[in-house]
Amino acid sequence: MSPSRGALAAGAALVAAAAVTIAVVVWPEGADTGPPGEASMASAPSHASLTPSPTRSYPLSTSPRTIPAVREHIAARGPGWRPGPTSTVVIASGSGPLADEAQLLAKELKIRYRGAVPARAGDVELALGAPGDGVPESYTLNTHDRRVVITGPDQAGVFYGTRTLKQSLRADGVMPEGEVRDRPDRPQRGLNLDIARKYYTVGWIEDRLRDMADLKLNQLGLHFSDDQAFRIQSDTHPEVVSPQHLTKAEVRQILALAGRLHIDVVPEIDSPGHLGAVLRAHPELQLRNTAGVRSIGSIDISDPGAAKLIDQLIGEFAELFGGAYWHLGGDEYRALMVKDPAASYPQLQRAAQQKYGPAAGIKDLATGWLNDRAAVVRPHGQQPKAWNDGFFRGGVVQADRNIEVEYWTGKEYGARPPEEYLSEGRRLVNLNDEFLYYVLGQPNAFVYPTGKRIYEQWTPHVLRGTQPVPARYSKQILGGRFAVWGDLPQAQTPAQVAAGIRMPLRATAQKLWDPRRPTLSWGQFQALAATIDKAG
């Protein structure tokens, strides 16, 4: 480069630098609103580029502190965002479905909601991106010029962006400058709750839903029928309902809140086992062995009346719950847990051979029962699920490949390793009883799980025991749920259960959102959870 051209370039650089310096306005760190002239910022297009201007006035931002941690944060220099006296929440043009998310956020941050109007300095704007613009439940959160813009391809993604903003403010009082790009690792993330053995009030369940939503969990399993009780009002069979139960109005109240928080409720009527409460009202359908001894909780699937009763209940509650999923149960059928099923229950063996041929056995009859119940659920638009010990090796009848396997145990008699299901191409959800089972009273060698152990040792790949399955099966593992079971219901009060599952649930949420080794130590994670929860 010649000296004359170099001098010209240097001069131009000085002028540009001066222009940048003049353009930069430094507000005090504690300021809540922008400087005079914010009207001109308000008139800027809602989706204008939010790339921060360089400035030496602020250090490079750090990632927001949240649970679960965000997957990616692009740092920038700037004051970040905190709600001020004139801050409001707005929704972008064409993003009307986000009004509910916007109003909830405004209420939580104690600022106004202004509707679908242009954003101003100090505002939070929520916007739906183009369909397919990002993976489901993902979001981008951009903090610049004392404004926050949260965008996502669906309402759930934008909602999770509001949870990140809320938690960052609770943790540190500010949303750091820069851009968050975040998404879940697994599509199913949740809590499983046994309300059959232990009754919980509507208020207690709603508190769990709100906690789950802040943790970006999206699935609540409700196991409401078992040997001990049937906990939801029934119009088709009121005789099976236990005295202490949820009314349908209360269930609709729970479902309404869950829907607003982007949580799917997965109802479960477990069959053909775990039906003790139903069978107390229908003893004629209870399974008996050759000695006439009744099998507690097991229905006689050779009796046509059994299918009629259960299908009526499934149809009633599938209609009540709606939603995306139905849990069929399928586990621990007592007829298949004895040494010689055919000798003990010859009526089941005869029924199996009559229906499926001379080579069939009782496990084929049980598999046929599972497939038939799945067929009842599908017209309601619900994806069927079943416990892993309801699927059997070999046999004449194979379980429908579309039924999701909820893998909970490798300890049960004859339990198959998860690789067997995965190698068949089946999709699994992780409820590993080694890490994710909170069983009241700790019977049968169960111990209350700790958040630390989940946080440091568990991932969605660890389906059985402590060893992960090969990474090649990763796409077939849909996610997981932390499960609360009420085997000894008086062992803890509802308040004690809530306190006991608090940190394990947070650890589970972290590892389902991002299974990589966390950046924070367990101690730091605990401290962050305490700060966020206290601020709430």
Side-chain angles (χ1 to χ4, degrees):
M1 178 181 290
S2 68
S4 58
R5 291 180 62 192
L8 288 171
L14 287 171
V15 171
V20 169
T21 303
I22 293 169
V24 172
V25 180
V26 180
W27 298 295
E29 287 287 353
D32 288 316
T33 59
E38 67 175 16
S40 62
M41 296 174 64
S43 64
S46 174
H47 295 291
S49 172
L50 297 176
T51 303
S53 302
T55 172
R56 298 178 182 175
S57 304
Y58 299 98
L60 202 62
S61 64
T62 57
S63 182
R65 299 197 305 146
T66 63
I67 297 174
V70 302
R71 295 176 68 92
E72 181 182 3
H73 176 252
I74 301 171
R77 298 184 187 278
W81 183 89
R82 51 175 54 84
T86 63
S87 295
T88 65
V89 180
V90 302
I91 55 176
S93 176
S95 298
L98 294 174
D100 192 57
E101 288 78 9
Q103 290 176 59
L104 175 61
L105 180 65
K107 180 180 178 181
E108 292 170 328
L109 301 187
K110 298 181 173 58
I111 59 180
R112 274 195 314 125
Y113 167 62
R114 290 196 298 123
V117 297
R120 307 177 306 200
D123 283 353
V124 178
E125 182 184 56
L126 308 185
L128 282 172
D133 185 16
V135 300
E137 300 183 295
S138 64
Y139 68 93
T140 299
L141 189 157
N142 206 308
T143 306
H144 176 66
D145 284 344
R146 297 186 176 275
R147 191 182 308 178
V148 173
V149 179
I150 303 173
T151 60
D154 51 32
Q155 289 175 255
V158 175
F159 177 70
Y160 294 140
T162 69
R163 302 305 87 192
T164 291
L165 176 60
K166 174 185 174 181
Q167 284 203 16
S168 182
L169 291 170
R170 285 184 173 184
D172 297 306
V174 65
M175 183 68 214
E177 199 83 4
E179 184 174 88
V180 171
R181 298 176 182 174
D182 206 9
R183 61 175 177 81
D185 186 72
R186 306 286 152 167
Q188 296 188 36
R189 312 173 303 278
L191 171 68
N192 209 73
L193 183 62
D194 172 11
I195 66 172
R197 295 178 178 95
K198 186 174 180 66
Y199 175 79
Y200 297 93
T201 65
V202 172
W204 192 93
I205 295 171
E206 289 182 328
D207 284 345
R208 302 290 74 70
L209 287 170
R210 295 186 183 94
D211 193 36
M212 290 170 62
D214 281 355
L215 297 171
K216 302 184 175 75
L217 298 173
N218 65 1
Q219 201 174 80
L220 174 67
L222 275 188
H223 178 90
F224 65 90
S225 169
D226 212 303
D227 296 342
Q228 292 78 1
F230 191 101
R231 295 288 189 190
I232 298 178
Q233 172 191 347
S234 172
D235 298 322
T236 61
H237 288 282
E239 73 280 1
V240 307
V241 181
S242 301
Q244 195 172 37
H245 64 269
L246 299 174
T247 66
K248 287 190 173 181
E250 289 174 322
V251 171
R252 291 187 184 101
Q253 179 179 330
I254 291 167
L255 293 173
L257 176 61
R260 291 195 297 273
L261 299 176
H262 299 279
I263 295 172
D264 283 314
V265 178
V266 184
E268 179 190 359
I269 296 179
D270 200 347
S271 77
H274 292 279
L275 285 169
V278 170
L279 292 173
R280 277 195 292 276
H282 293 274
E284 73 281 3
L285 296 176
Q286 194 160 24
L287 180 65
R288 293 175 174 84
N289 65 14
T290 52
V293 177
R294 294 179 180 182
S295 180
I296 296 174
S298 293
I299 201 165
D300 187 342
I301 58 177
S302 69
D303 188 326
K308 181 179 178 181
L309 171 63
I310 299 306
D311 289 351
Q312 287 173 342
L313 289 169
I314 289 176
E316 177 182 3
F317 288 100
E319 184 175 336
L320 172 65
F321 279 89
Y325 304 95
W326 180 274
H327 206 304
L328 301 165
D331 64 315
E332 298 182 318
Y333 188 46
R334 295 298 177 183
L336 292 170
M337 299 174 73
V338 297
K339 185 176 181 180
D340 190 342
S344 296
Y345 301 98
Q347 75 275 31
L348 298 182
Q349 181 64 26
R350 287 193 300 271
Q353 291 175 330
Q354 289 170 2
K355 189 169 185 178
Y356 299 113
I362 295 176
K363 67 180 179 181
D364 295 301
L365 192 66
T367 300
W369 171 276
L370 187 71
N371 290 342
D372 290 346
R373 307 293 77 73
V376 173
V377 166
R378 286 198 189 91
H380 295 274
Q382 294 168 322
Q383 167 65 50
K385 295 170 168 286
W387 299 114
N388 66 285
D389 49 335
F391 296 77
F392 308 102
R393 291 187 183 95
V396 174
V397 183
Q398 296 298 306
D400 190 317
R401 292 299 178 93
N402 188 48
I403 302 172
E404 292 178 3
V405 180
E406 302 250 302
Y407 198 97
W408 72 278
T409 185
K411 300 175 183 177
E412 289 285 313
Y413 173 77
R416 300 165 61 193
E419 289 88 345
E420 285 195 24
Y421 304 89
L422 293 166
S423 65
E424 294 172 0
R426 297 188 185 276
R427 297 170 298 162
L428 272 63
V429 178
N430 191 326
L431 288 94
N432 184 342
D433 61 357
E434 177 75 20
F435 288 92
L436 305 179
Y437 260 38
Y438 192 93
V439 185
L440 298 192
Q442 305 183 105
N444 303 320
F446 281 108
V447 295
Y448 292 130
T450 67
K452 183 177 190 293
R453 191 160 179 254
I454 297 168
Y455 190 75
E456 294 178 346
Q457 299 180 31
W458 180 82
T459 75
H461 288 182
V462 182
L463 285 152
R464 174 176 177 164
T466 60
Q467 296 302 310
V469 297
R472 66 179 179 274
Y473 294 124
S474 185
K475 290 184 179 180
Q476 293 170 240
I477 303 171
L478 302 176
R481 292 197 305 280
F482 185 84
V484 179
W485 297 101
D487 290 42
L488 299 174
Q490 303 309 315
Q492 289 191 339
T493 65
Q496 288 172 324
V497 173
I501 69 173
R502 175 179 162 271
M503 287 310 299
L505 193 62
R506 279 149 180 74
T508 304
Q510 173 62 47
K511 301 303 282 289
L512 286 168
W513 191 265
D514 186 349
R516 296 173 297 182
R517 181 180 295 277
T519 301
L520 299 181
S521 69
W522 173 247
Q524 292 169 327
F525 186 80
Q526 281 183 300
L528 175 59
T531 299
I532 291 172
D533 292 351
K534 183 178 180 181

